[in-house]
Amino acid sequence: MSEAPVLEVSGLVKHFPVARGVLRRKLIGVVRAVEDVTFEIARGETLALVGESGCGKSTTGRLVLRLMNPTSGSIRFKGEEIAGLDKDAMRRMRRHLQIIFQDPYASLNPRMTVGDILSEPLNVHKIGDTASRASRVRELLDVVGLQAEHAARYPHQFSGGQRQRIGIARALAANPDLMVCDEPVSALDVSIQAQIVNLLQNLQQRFGLSYLFIAHDLAVVKHISDRVAVMYLGKLVEIADKKTIYARPLHPYTQALMAAIPKTDPGLRTKREMLQGDVPNPFNPPSGCRFHTRCPHAQARCSAEEPALREAAKGHRVACHFFETLPPPVIIARSGPPQGKFAERLAAFEAAKQRQAAKI
Amino acid sequence: MSTEALDGGLVGSASGAENGWLARNGLLRRLLRDRVAALAAAVLGIIVLAAVFAPWIAPYDPYFTDLTKVMQAPSALHWFGTDNTGRDILSRVLYGTRNTLVLGLVGVIVGGAIGGVLGIFAAYYRRLGGWIMRLVDIMLAFPAILIGLALAAIFGAGLFAVIIALVIATVPDVARVARGAAVSVMGQEFMEAGRAVGVSDSALIWRYLTLNCISTIFVFLTLRFGQIILIGSVLGFLGMGAQPPAAELGMMAAQGRDFLFMAPHIATIPSFAIFVIVLCANLLGDAFRDVLDPRLQT
């Protein structure tokens, strides 16, 4: 892509100080929530940020929007550094960077009507006059699939999916370039999830938005993203385009994640290395490679030396000392031919699939 | 979803026509559906009206002493009887209610405003919060009656000293309640959403934070109103408050105490007036709490 990336993040670090004591507060350490994270997002692109809960992906999203201040590192929006902007300058910048929240029940002010919520960004950034704001609100409601008369209602009069649409409309109101989607569908049930994901994709095509899509549902990520970045304990362990990472994950952690996706063919037997134990405490992360305590391929070097993010192919970076020599991830073996009723049903399903394919 | 949309259309148009957060949920309608609350509201309303229009309603001059009619029992001429200097007790109760209500209202409104602002700021500005709450703790350590006594010693006894004492007694409690409510609102995502949109601090504090915890503070203040009147009356009883010949319910009860066996009505009638006011305020406060609690809303 010839254009400059919409967002360039490099060396982003967030440490939360932990202090103890009543009168004289002493610093007893820091929680290393985000450590040296580097990525970029091109115009119109969706970068998915995945990882276990507590790995720092939501924190990264909030740092990008300066809802939290980074400890160090650089955040460049369309080439302009925003990590050091003061409060007022950042406030003006906010119209270009927006966020969709996870919980549609908590992210709308219950004391404001939907119309007020949607015109808030326009008021704050002094876009248009009263009449044009009202028409913009109607337009936004239409764009996200709600009706104009919904503007006079309060959030508690809507269902979860509708509220998430309102949240999306609010984020769209000031025509942003980048949207951080912080697990926007994980609080919704599956049928609504599909609607919201499709809505997000439509909006991206219509308005040329870039998404930083934070999620832990790999099926949704596979559907919506262009590239995927995998985080573990505050660090980026692998970043690549979607096809590559789903077809050939190189980092052992990514491999474990991919192996955990449910397969649609019950006959398939994969040799799965289940990860043991929990994510270590980010207050006291393991030495060397942070994943070595749970890695099935860990060696002596892993606990001593921290692996750098190295280029494996163009646009595919991995933070592992041994990714070249690791065995390929999964050996797929069929557990013998299917038997009995199951074989019949499978045959019927295959036949239906063939017919469908023939029609198209 | 389709039925919801149909129902919602009616609700939406109705709520669109009304304005303000009180009207939004048909709050008054729901409040008055509670019969006890409706009765309390009616009684309190009558009392307030009587106090406001005391100069026109009162049958006699509350300060006029008639030594030929001392300590008369209630009769057709003097409904509540007369006191030890022959003043009409009904007139004095009407004027006294005026002073007592003003004490309670000023205490609750001024104290509530100061306490509410302190509590909300303590929740919004975390660094300031620790200091504000320590200050509040210090205020909490002094009983209102003690402060009243000290202020009366400094400024001289009178309504002013009592009002200051009542305000100081109200501030720390309200600040604690307001901070508690505001901290829980601060934790909600819409505060962050407002910041992400670029809303300024002042608008965040007012439209996002305060409007979402104001019902909690309001309920607390209604409940507090009765207590404040009681404290004010106690200070009046102890002689800190309004000075004779002015009428104030607590002070009137104190003066009647000396004649409790000869003419019990002199002390009991003002005491009963205090009792009715406090009871109505508390009942109304309870009803407000039930109506405004979002967890009880459908």
Side-chain angles (χ1 to χ4, degrees):
Chain A
M1 239 167 268
S2 57
E3 248 182 297
V6 169
L7 184 76
E8 283 175 278
V9 172
S10 68
L12 194 64
V13 176
K14 178 68 184 178
H15 290 173
F16 292 106
V18 179
R20 197 166 279 170
V22 180
L23 289 175
R24 296 179 56 202
R25 292 181 74 75
K26 263 197 286 188
L27 206 66
I28 57 165
V30 289
V31 172
R32 296 163 188 279
V34 175
E35 190 91 83
D36 194 19
V37 165
T38 300
F39 60 83
E40 70 289 314
I41 304 177
R43 166 159 282 287
E45 186 189 45
T46 302
L47 174 70
L49 202 55
V50 299
E52 277 165 278
S53 53
C55 73
K57 51 192 197 299
S58 284
T59 308
T60 307
R62 278 160 172 71
L63 288 173
V64 164
L65 297 175
R66 288 278 313 275
L67 288 173
M68 292 175 183
N69 287 325
T71 308
S72 68
S74 127
I75 305 159
R76 294 163 80 83
F77 174 74
K78 288 185 163 173
E80 189 185 344
E81 179 66 51
I82 61 169
L85 284 184
D86 65 30
K87 216 172 160 184
D88 276 336
M90 192 58 222
R91 239 161 57 75
R92 284 193 293 279
M93 188 55 97
R94 293 207 183 280
R95 60 178 293 189
H96 306 296
L97 305 147
Q98 278 301 323
I99 180 166
I100 301 168
F101 290 95
Q102 175 177 16
D103 183 356
Y105 290 89
S107 61
L108 304 173
N109 185 349
R111 294 278 183 223
M112 287 163 74
T113 62
V114 170
D116 290 340
I117 289 172
L118 295 186
S119 53
E120 183 89 305
L122 308 174
N123 293 336
V124 166
H125 299 292
K126 302 190 174 62
I127 303 168
D129 53 25
T130 317
S132 73
R133 282 172 197 165
S135 73
R136 174 75 177 148
V137 167
R138 284 195 296 277
E139 185 192 333
L140 285 167
L141 284 170
D142 181 56
V143 162
V144 298
L146 297 171
Q147 281 136 41
E149 58 267 26
H150 287 155
R153 294 193 202 169
Y154 285 88
H156 72 263
Q157 294 168 305
F158 292 91
S159 67
Q162 287 175 314
R163 287 186 203 206
Q164 196 60 295
R165 287 170 189 270
I166 297 166
I168 293 171
R170 169 177 61 193
L172 279 177
N175 270 327
D177 297 294
L178 175 75
M179 274 217 228
V180 173
C181 309
D182 186 7
E183 309 209 16
V185 297
S186 60
L188 306 171
D189 59 41
V190 177
S191 59
I192 309 293
Q193 278 189 6
Q195 292 175 11
I196 297 292
V197 165
N198 289 338
L199 173 65
L200 286 172
Q201 284 187 315
N202 283 341
L203 295 176
Q204 182 166 45
Q205 281 171 8
R206 260 174 90 174
F207 302 112
L209 296 167
S210 307
Y211 289 139
L212 175 60
F213 195 90
I214 299 164
H216 57 239
D217 183 341
L218 290 164
V220 172
V221 165
K222 191 174 185 179
H223 184 72
I224 198 171
S225 65
D226 299 311
R227 287 191 305 139
V228 180
V230 183
M231 276 184 87
Y232 182 77
L233 214 59
K235 296 206 72 161
L236 226 50
V237 295
E238 185 163 6
I239 179 166
D241 61 75
K242 175 175 73 181
K243 269 196 189 130
T244 314
I245 210 158
Y246 276 83
R248 190 164 152 60
L250 290 177
H251 195 281
Y253 179 62
T254 319
Q255 292 173 359
L257 279 185
M258 296 301 165
I261 305 175
K263 305 287 185 296
T264 44
D265 185 346
L268 275 185
R269 287 287 173 272
T270 55
K271 205 180 106 202
R272 237 196 265 178
E273 306 265 8
M274 293 293 282
L275 286 185
Q276 300 299 317
D278 284 326
V279 186
N281 189 348
F283 182 63
N284 186 17
S287 64
C289 174
R290 290 183 172 199
F291 187 55
H292 82 258
T293 52
R294 298 169 76 194
C295 182
H297 313 292
Q299 301 181 25
R301 190 183 162 196
C302 296
S303 58
E305 197 184 326
E306 198 163 337
L309 212 53
R310 289 183 295 145
E311 191 110 333
K314 192 171 159 23
H316 188 172
R317 298 197 295 271
V318 187
C320 178
H321 294 303
F322 303 111
F323 73 81
E324 292 96 338
T325 54
L326 288 182
V330 280
I331 300 119
I332 296 167
R334 277 204 172 274
S335 60
Q339 290 161 358
K341 276 274 182 227
F342 176 59
E344 284 172 35
R345 291 198 195 107
L346 206 61
F349 175 68
E350 286 299 335
K353 238 174 32 176
Q354 296 287 325
R355 277 200 301 279
Q356 195 80 33
K359 247 185 253 173
I360 301 163
Chain B
M1 213 191 90
S2 62
T3 51
E4 187 202 45
L6 287 173
D7 295 349
L10 289 168
V11 175
S13 60
S15 68
E18 293 172 58
N19 281 319
W21 60 275
L22 275 173
R24 190 181 100 216
N25 304 316
L27 184 109
L28 276 176
R29 191 166 40 83
R30 286 198 293 142
L31 187 71
L32 297 179
R33 208 182 292 155
D34 180 353
R35 279 199 206 142
V36 178
L39 189 70
V43 172
L44 208 57
I46 290 169
I47 291 175
V48 168
L49 284 179
V52 168
F53 295 108
W56 293 276
I57 299 173
Y60 298 92
D61 180 349
Y63 307 116
F64 177 71
T65 55
D66 183 352
L67 291 176
T68 61
K69 294 177 180 169
V70 175
M71 288 196 268
Q72 283 188 348
S75 65
L77 216 55
H78 296 280
W79 289 5
F80 286 178
T82 59
D83 68 2
N84 57 316
T85 56
R87 294 176 292 197
D88 178 52
I89 291 184
L90 174 60
S91 308
R92 285 185 67 72
V93 163
L94 288 174
Y95 276 85
T97 306
R98 236 183 175 191
N99 278 330
T100 303
L101 283 180
V102 165
L103 281 186
L105 274 182
V106 173
V108 157
I109 290 171
V110 177
I114 297 174
V117 167
L118 282 180
I120 284 167
F121 271 62
Y124 192 81
Y125 298 105
R126 294 244 183 89
R127 292 221 179 127
L128 221 63
W131 293 103
I132 292 179
M133 292 328 280
R134 291 303 79 71
L135 183 82
V136 163
D137 286 345
I138 292 171
M139 289 173 75
L140 210 55
F142 291 106
I145 295 184
L146 212 62
I147 293 174
L149 289 172
L151 287 170
I154 298 169
F155 299 114
L159 282 182
F160 181 70
V162 175
I163 285 178
I164 302 276
L166 293 183
V167 167
I168 294 176
T170 311
V171 165
D173 289 0
V174 179
R176 290 226 149 260
V177 169
R179 179 177 170 274
V183 162
S184 78
V185 173
M186 283 297 288
Q188 299 218 34
E189 260 177 351
F190 65 79
M191 291 300 298
E192 202 168 23
R195 279 209 317 129
V197 161
V199 179
S200 63
D201 279 354
S202 58
L204 269 181
I205 289 178
W206 172 241
R207 268 190 304 153
Y208 285 68
L209 190 54
T210 308
L211 281 189
N212 277 293
C213 44
I214 205 151
S215 61
T216 313
I217 300 173
F218 183 70
V219 167
F220 181 74
L221 286 178
T222 355
L223 285 170
R224 188 72 200 184
F225 180 63
Q227 278 176 305
I228 287 289
I229 284 182
L230 218 52
I231 297 174
S233 300
V234 168
L235 286 169
F237 186 86
L238 292 173
M240 297 315 124
Q243 293 303 304
E248 196 270 320
L249 294 179
M251 188 198 72
M252 288 167 66
Q255 287 180 339
R257 179 187 45 170
D258 300 337
F259 313 101
L260 205 55
F261 291 103
M262 285 174 281
H265 66 274
I266 300 178
T268 46
I269 285 174
S271 306
F272 188 73
I274 295 173
F275 166 73
V276 171
I277 294 171
V278 173
L279 181 69
C280 288
N282 282 349
L283 288 175
L284 214 54
D286 275 344
F288 267 124
R289 187 190 52 207
D290 292 347
V291 171
L292 285 174
D293 191 339
R295 278 164 300 188
L296 298 175
Q297 282 176 23
T298 45

